[in-house]
Amino acid sequence: YYMVVNIPEDYQVSPRNQGTDENLDSDISSSGRTDVLTIVAGEIVTGIGAGLFKTDEPILFSVITDVVFNDENQNGLRDDGEIGVPGVLVILYDATTDNEIATSFTDENGVYRFEQLFAGSYYIIVVIPDNFLASPKDQGTVESIDSDINNDGRTDAFSLIAGQTLVNVGAGIFTNNSELCTDFVATVEPICTSVQGSEEYFIYIIIEGGTPPYQIDGGDLFNITVEDVNTPIAPLGPVPSNTSYKVVITDANKCLAGTYRGFLECLTINVELLVFEGEVTQKGNLLKWITATETNNAYFTLMRSRDGKEFEAITTVDGAGNTTSARGYEWLDKDAPIGLSYYRLDQTDFDGTTTSSSVITLKRGESDFSITNLFPIPATEQIQLRFYNNEPTEITLSVYNITGKLIDTQTIHSQMGINDFPVDISNYAVGSYVLSLNNGQTIISRKFVKQ
């Protein structure tokens, strides 16, 4: 809902969102409208007030307006021919209290506008759309055409005097428009930590193409620079369960791999899942999973998707009920389609409670370089690595622990086709690890557990 107050002719609207007490402040804009609010069943909402005042003296209100523009040449200036970006959210804040004053969406010409403002100190935050970046700030000497936002979309604080119309708080944003950016992609996947009872997750990132160094901006969560595409990126985090993330990845040419958003719920569940993985075989996609312990576990449901969004159940497998010993399961998806398939493992307790695993992907069809199997999991002394390579090359094998620390590295002289290689893990500490293979062009990784 939202509310609109019809303002009498001889009254003015009081300043909005002043102070820190929601029960005392005024919540209407200069037009008399509140923000949108959500009400749940049975709720009594208070604190949505409207302040008006009457005066015989004329009030000199101020205005802030400018353009959010598509800075195609990325020079931080609104040059001739560069058009505005419609539909961008712009938020006005009181610089003294940091209270939100008003919001505005840019019109079809990219223009935002705030009216009926009192004299004071303000700043603006432009909510940069996904797959856009902020242009360089404060370029040149002409205030009316430069961009005034930093990388987060925020301007410096500025003063507004009574009766002023301020027109030099513009914002330049841009997206990929160069052939240099065509091969620059990234994969971003959140994965719950394997430590039982831990309600947090790490973000795993793989970068392909582009020009190093790469900047990975996770806002308040992390901000790192990666110097080399061939260097595996340590898991980033931890991120508390149910906390959202936004990751922006760029390269040295200011190319944007993408803006990645999401959140992951990591619960303390009755089944401790050590491994959920898959293997593409001639007869179908073979799904495998291993549990460390099970409590009141009725059954598992394997879910498959073609787009990673809409999942369907393809089979159910009975659980062990209650066990404190490691237990392995597998199922062959004989109807797996050609191309990319997404799989998720749902686990259901006897009381009907269902929890879901992270999503894994398998691709049927030709692959130049891939791990086809890594077993046994969990392992104690040795794991057997099987991988495919389409040419005889030197492969660098690296093993990282869950914090991203390099534990082991060695060189494999691979042959064309299927390669089998034993990896000695007898001196590793008990825990989860990531094994990565690098052929000089591509990095592939697989998780395993030392018991």
Side-chain angles (χ1 to χ4, degrees):
Y1 298 89
Y2 65 86
M3 295 179 289
V4 175
V5 176
N6 292 321
I7 303 167
E9 280 188 19
D10 50 351
Y11 280 84
Q12 304 288 344
V13 178
S14 299
R16 183 186 189 192
N17 294 338
Q18 301 300 299
T20 57
D21 191 336
E22 282 292 330
N23 293 313
L24 298 178
D25 71 339
S26 178
D27 297 289
I28 59 173
S29 67
S30 57
S31 64
R33 175 171 167 163
T34 69
D35 291 334
V36 175
L37 59 146
T38 301
I39 302 175
V40 300
E43 183 181 11
I44 297 175
V45 177
T46 61
I48 311 298
L52 304 175
F53 65 93
K54 192 173 183 179
T55 178
D56 294 329
E57 297 294 328
I59 303 297
L60 291 177
F61 289 111
S62 301
V63 174
I64 303 172
T65 183
D66 211 324
V67 177
V68 178
F69 61 95
N70 187 358
D71 187 16
E72 294 185 1
N73 60 8
Q74 305 173 21
N75 67 350
L77 301 172
R78 180 157 51 93
D79 300 308
D80 291 342
E82 292 184 334
I83 62 175
V85 182
V88 179
L89 176 60
V90 183
I91 308 173
L92 178 67
Y93 288 87
D94 185 317
T96 303
T97 64
D98 286 327
N99 287 334
E100 179 183 319
I101 301 301
T103 60
S104 174
F105 283 92
T106 56
D107 64 15
E108 64 273 13
N109 297 312
V111 175
Y112 71 86
R113 187 177 181 87
F114 298 106
E115 299 178 327
Q116 288 189 280
L117 301 174
F118 291 90
S121 181
Y122 299 92
Y123 64 87
I124 283 172
I125 291 181
V126 176
V127 181
I128 300 172
D130 287 353
N131 299 321
F132 277 85
L133 297 171
S135 297
K137 180 184 177 185
D138 294 334
Q139 302 299 299
T141 59
V142 183
E143 280 291 328
S144 60
I145 63 171
D146 73 338
S147 180
D148 297 291
I149 59 172
N150 62 19
N151 290 336
D152 296 325
R154 176 171 172 162
T155 69
D156 295 333
F158 53 86
S159 296
L160 193 65
I161 61 176
Q164 180 184 12
T165 297
L166 188 62
V167 293
N168 60 354
V169 191
I173 59 177
F174 66 89
T175 189
N176 291 343
N177 61 357
S178 169
E179 292 183 0
L180 295 173
C181 306
T182 55
D183 68 338
F184 184 36
V185 295
T187 301
V188 176
E189 182 180 7
I191 299 178
C192 292
T193 178
S194 61
V195 179
Q196 189 176 23
S198 176
E199 297 187 358
E200 60 188 20
Y201 63 92
F202 286 81
I203 296 175
Y204 291 75
I205 297 176
I206 298 175
I207 293 176
E208 299 178 39
T211 303
Y214 308 98
Q215 194 67 33
I216 302 177
D217 185 356
D220 294 335
L221 298 174
F222 49 78
N223 197 318
I224 67 168
T225 300
V226 179
E227 298 293 343
D228 187 353
V229 70
N230 293 319
T231 302
I233 302 168
L236 301 175
V239 182
S241 175
N242 268 336
T243 300
S244 62
Y245 65 86
K246 175 185 176 183
V247 179
V248 179
I249 303 175
T250 56
D251 74 351
N253 294 321
K254 298 183 180 178
C255 294
L256 178 68
T259 300
Y260 307 87
R261 298 177 183 267
F263 75 96
L264 190 61
E265 183 178 19
C266 302
L267 300 176
T268 302
I269 60 176
N270 288 335
V271 172
E272 182 183 357
L273 187 65
L274 288 177
V275 173
F276 176 45
E277 63 181 9
E279 176 185 356
V280 177
T281 71
Q282 186 175 1
K283 295 182 178 180
N285 289 346
L286 181 61
L287 287 307
K288 304 176 183 179
W289 62 102
I290 300 171
T291 61
T293 61
E294 299 181 33
T295 305
N296 297 323
N297 180 25
Y299 60 89
F300 298 96
T301 305
L302 266 172
M303 310 291 290
R304 184 180 66 204
S305 170
R306 293 302 305 274
D307 60 6
K309 299 176 182 178
E310 299 294 330
F311 284 82
E312 62 176 355
I314 56 175
T315 192
T316 59
V317 178
D318 289 340
N322 296 285
T323 179
T324 57
S325 301
R327 186 178 178 92
Y329 301 83
E330 65 178 43
W331 190 79
L332 181 65
D333 183 6
K334 298 179 181 179
D335 299 321
I338 298 297
L340 198 62
S341 291
Y342 299 81
Y343 291 94
R344 189 184 75 212
L345 185 66
D346 290 357
Q347 179 269 322
T348 303
D349 295 341
F350 287 117
D351 64 3
T353 302
T354 298
T355 55
S356 299
S357 73
S358 300
V359 175
I360 64 172
T361 58
L362 293 177
K363 184 178 181 181
R364 294 193 65 78
E366 293 187 4
S367 175
D368 293 340
F369 184 46
S370 62
I371 296 174
T372 62
N373 206 354
L374 188 65
F375 63 95
I377 298 178
T380 55
E381 300 293 327
Q382 178 179 283
I383 56 172
Q384 188 69 27
L385 166 67
R386 176 171 295 172
F387 66 95
Y388 176 84
N389 198 11
N390 68 342
E391 60 180 347
T393 57
E394 284 193 353
I395 306 294
T396 301
L397 182 152
S398 303
V399 178
Y400 301 83
N401 65 16
I402 194 64
T403 66
K405 181 180 178 181
L406 180 64
I407 301 299
D408 189 13
T409 184
Q410 51 188 302
T411 299
I412 302 174
H413 299 281
S414 74
Q415 62 184 6
M416 184 173 65
I418 293 294
N419 294 260
D420 290 298
F421 187 81
V423 182
D424 181 10
I425 62 170
S426 58
N427 293 325
Y428 292 12
V430 173
S432 297
Y433 296 86
V434 175
L435 181 147
S436 292
L437 298 181
N438 183 348
N439 67 357
Q441 297 179 332
T442 303
I443 298 175
I444 52 178
S445 301
R446 183 74 67 88
K447 181 180 175 183
F448 70 91
V449 177
K450 164 69 184 291
Q451 197 174 61

